[in-house]
Each structure stands twice: as structure tokens, then as C-alpha cells.
Amino acid sequence: MSDHRSGQADTTTVDGPHDIRQEAPLSNQLSALQRDEFVSGVRDTLPLLLGALPFGLIYGAIAATSGLSIAAAMAMSVFVFAGSSQFIAVGLVAAQTPVAIIVLTTLIVNLRHLLYSATLLPYLKDLPQRWRIPLAFWLTDETFAVAVHRFQRNDSSPCRHWYQLGSSIAMYLNWQLWCFLGLLLGNRIPDAQGWGLDVAMPVTFIGMIIPFVKTAPMAVCVLTAGAAALLTLALPYKLGIIVSAFAGIASGLTAQRMLRAKTRTTRR
Amino acid sequence: MSANEAWMLAGMVAVTFGIRYLLFGLADRIRLAPWLAESLNFIPPAVLTAITLPAVLLPRGDWFVSPANPYLIAALLSLIAGVVTRKLLATIAIGLVGFLAHRLLF
């Protein structure tokens, strides 16, 4: 049965569409393929667009209460385009953190993108810079997740980067729209900060932290970072945030190592 | 937009794009050590916690650990809601409602 099916598949790929393709001009074929990849990139990103909606709205609303100007908050969405960094920057602006510490924290928070680009690199390294630069700028958690799925499907499509482009542009336009609406809404609420609506920031962060805490090492990391943040309050320039982040990461890594060593010995 | 905001944006654009482009630009010339790759997963929750906890326990810059602290009550409610529902919007909504109720009642 399976032999029969694969035999049939072979005949269709060799004889059927192959002949038809040879009749169409090569450039037409290629641009149709590019369009198909682009459209499926957009289509596969649609559910994630919905997921980004509340984050965009909330970012806008929080930014409006943080003391950041509307222009700066919108420019951040347009030029930085990194959800978690934007949230954290707004939180730090509200806490009157110096610019250098905000930039340094952004750097640390974005280090995870190294992991993404390292994974995508084998598929993109032969592209010219005019492709690599925009794909790098538009790289997000969501587009990474969708694109890596596409790249790992083993076919020889020469236009798979168009798929990533479709996902990237969909994510980008969607994010701008919701951030803008969030900013408009946030500014409509009179004296939001005086009302104490700045509580939206810690409450949102709590909602963002919880899904991470699935393993014991992650719990150790979060508890250590929290304790360290309270112990380093006296440090100048809000440096305590950076110190605490490193303390949390180091303790989480250590806990993970210990856990792994333990499971290894029990298995023996 | 103030000059301070412009500097912040310029810095953030530089580091965000810099990291996203670093490996694409350098292609195969660098490789991440396994421990470094592993530690990247811990960064977002560590940074978020380090910002959130002081914002809740010292909302105006001074220690305020008391049931009279609406930020603390909101945070505890949203923590419970988040653990129970595992839904971001429910977590935020319950925290906000708890905060407003606290302010109206006390």
C-alpha cells in the first residue's frame, strides 16, 4: 500500500507538474513561489497576531502612565520593536532609572535573540545583506517560532526567506497598530498615574513571569532575583536591577546543574 | 520628545538591532557556549522580577508592607489569579479590579 502510494507520488512529481513548469517562464514561477511563501508566512502568523494584541494595547496604556512622551513611546515601537524590552524600558522610566541602565537592561533582555539568530543562521547565511538586515530587525519570539518551523521542513524551496518576511511584516504592522491604540486609550484616561493606574505595570509583569516558572531552577532564579532586588535597593543608578538579574540567572543555572547531577546519580 | 528620551531610544535601537544582527552579520564566525545559551532562558523572568518586587513593596520609594498598600494587594491577587487561570488577561484584570476596589474601600 505504502509502496504503491510513494510510487504514484514519484510519477506525479516527475511527469505531471514538471512538464507544465517548464513551459512557464522561470521568473514567473519564481515570483509565484515568493508570493506563496510570503502569504503562508502571514497566514501562519495570524494566531500570534491575536496573542500580541493585548500586549500592544497594554504597552501603550502603561507607557502613557510612565511619564514617557507619546512620541517617544510610539518611536520605541517603530524603531526598537521588541515587546519585552519596551515593557521593561517603560517600567524603568516610571522608576526614574538613568538612560544608561535602561539601555544596559535592554541589552541583557535581548540577549536571547542570539539564540534565535544562531538557530536561523544556517538557513539565512547565504542571503545578501539587503535581506539579512531587515530580517534581523524584524526578528521576534513569534516570527522565530513560526519561521524555524518552516525552515526545518525539509524541502528545497529557494524562497523560504519570503515566508519569514511575511511573518515579520505581519507582526510589525500588527504591533504598531495595537501600541498606537493603547497609547490613545491610555492618554484618554485623565490623570491615570495620579489614580494609581501605574499598578498595571507590576500586575502585567506578574502575568508575564508566571508562565516562565515551570521548573524548580526557574523558581530558584525568580526568588533569588526578587530577594536580590530588595537587598540592592541602596545601590546607585538602579544598578540593583542588573545585579539582581545576574544573581537570578546564576542561581537558576546552578540549580539546573545540581538537578542534572542529581538525576544522573539516581539513574546509575 | 526630550533629549533624554532621544538618547534612550538611540541606545535601545543600537543594542536591540545589534544583537539581532550580530550573528546574521558575522555568519559562521562565532558560536555560543552551551552554558551561555542555557542562561538566556533565565534572563526575562529574572529582570521582570527584579523590577516588579520593589515596585510593589516600595511603591513610592519607601517600604510599605501592609494590607493598606493597594499595590501589594493588587500584586497578590494577580499572582493568585495567574497561578490559577494561567491567563495573562485574567491576571491583569483581577489585579486592576483588586487595586481599584482597595482604593475605593480604604
Side-chain angles (χ1 to χ4, degrees):
Chain A
M1 180 67 191
S2 67
D3 278 349
H4 174 69
R5 202 186 289 159
S6 64
Q8 206 171 32
D10 280 346
T11 11
T12 38
T13 42
V14 173
D15 298 334
H18 198 71
D19 287 347
I20 301 162
R21 268 187 210 157
Q22 273 179 341
E23 281 162 28
L26 195 70
S27 62
N28 273 5
Q29 261 182 54
L30 205 63
S31 68
L33 197 56
Q34 287 166 351
R35 200 183 48 232
D36 285 353
E37 291 281 1
F38 186 90
V39 170
S40 26
V42 173
R43 195 192 51 220
D44 293 347
T45 309
L46 287 179
L48 299 167
L49 297 186
L50 210 60
L53 182 158
F55 281 104
L57 282 180
I58 295 163
Y59 164 74
I62 291 177
T65 64
S66 71
L68 203 63
S69 69
I70 302 184
M74 198 59 221
M76 203 188 277
S77 286
V78 172
F79 296 114
V80 178
F81 185 53
S84 47
S85 303
Q86 288 180 230
F87 269 100
I88 285 165
V90 163
L92 292 173
V93 167
Q96 272 135 28
T97 312
V99 167
I101 302 292
I102 296 180
V103 173
L104 190 57
T105 312
T106 309
L107 175 76
I108 294 167
V109 171
N110 274 311
L111 282 176
R112 71 181 188 291
H113 284 130
L114 279 178
L115 206 61
Y116 298 165
S117 47
T119 311
L120 293 177
L121 189 62
Y123 308 104
L124 302 175
K125 63 173 196 266
D126 296 326
L127 293 174
Q129 292 293 343
R130 71 189 156 81
W131 271 97
R132 284 196 236 169
I133 290 170
L135 289 184
F137 172 74
W138 279 321
L139 187 61
T140 55
D141 305 79
E142 288 86 348
T143 291
F144 169 75
V146 170
V148 82
H149 219 75
R150 170 72 190 92
F151 284 128
Q152 282 170 353
R153 232 184 303 146
N154 258 334
D155 57 51
S156 53
S157 163
C159 303
R160 290 184 292 184
H161 49 288
W162 283 83
Y163 180 95
Q164 189 181 342
L165 184 71
S167 172
S168 300
I169 290 178
M171 282 301 297
Y172 187 70
L173 296 179
N174 182 63
W175 181 245
Q176 305 312 329
L177 173 67
W178 299 119
C179 288
F180 183 66
L181 287 181
L183 275 167
L184 283 187
L185 283 176
N187 273 285
R188 279 290 168 85
I189 305 169
D191 193 24
Q193 194 159 19
W195 254 71
L197 282 186
D198 47 343
V199 77
M201 192 267 291
V203 161
T204 306
F205 284 10
I206 289 169
M208 292 163 86
I209 295 164
I210 291 170
F212 279 105
V213 190
K214 278 186 203 138
T215 61
M218 204 54 104
V220 169
C221 160
V222 164
L223 291 175
T224 310
L230 297 176
L231 291 172
T232 53
L233 286 169
L235 286 182
Y237 314 120
K238 303 267 173 187
L239 267 173
I241 289 166
I242 308 237
V243 174
S244 313
F246 277 112
I249 295 157
S251 67
L253 271 183
T254 312
Q256 201 165 52
R257 292 272 159 89
M258 284 164 64
L259 201 68
R260 234 176 251 154
K262 205 177 144 196
T263 40
R264 231 174 273 144
T265 43
T266 43
R267 263 189 208 151
R268 262 175 213 165
Chain B
M1 200 188 306
S2 71
N4 223 23
E5 287 177 336
W7 278 117
M8 177 184 77
L9 283 174
M12 287 180 71
V13 170
V15 297
T16 318
F17 179 73
I19 288 172
R20 284 169 170 171
Y21 181 68
L22 183 68
L23 290 184
F24 285 176
L26 289 176
D28 270 336
R29 271 169 278 172
I30 35 178
R31 204 167 292 272
L32 288 186
W35 70 267
L36 189 63
E38 220 168 72
S39 65
L40 297 178
N41 297 323
F42 289 105
I43 294 173
V47 173
L48 288 169
T49 310
I51 294 175
T52 307
L53 207 56
V56 166
L57 295 177
L58 302 88
R60 298 276 177 256
D62 297 307
W63 280 96
F64 191 12
V65 185
S66 144
N69 175 355
Y71 294 88
L72 182 56
I73 298 302
L76 289 175
L77 284 175
S78 64
L79 182 64
I80 295 167
V83 170
V84 173
T85 67
R86 299 263 152 193
K87 290 201 171 67
L88 179 71
L89 279 187
T91 310
I92 296 169
I94 288 170
L96 285 178
V97 169
F99 181 85
L100 291 175
H102 187 282
R103 290 209 100 186
L104 291 174
L105 293 175
F106 300 99

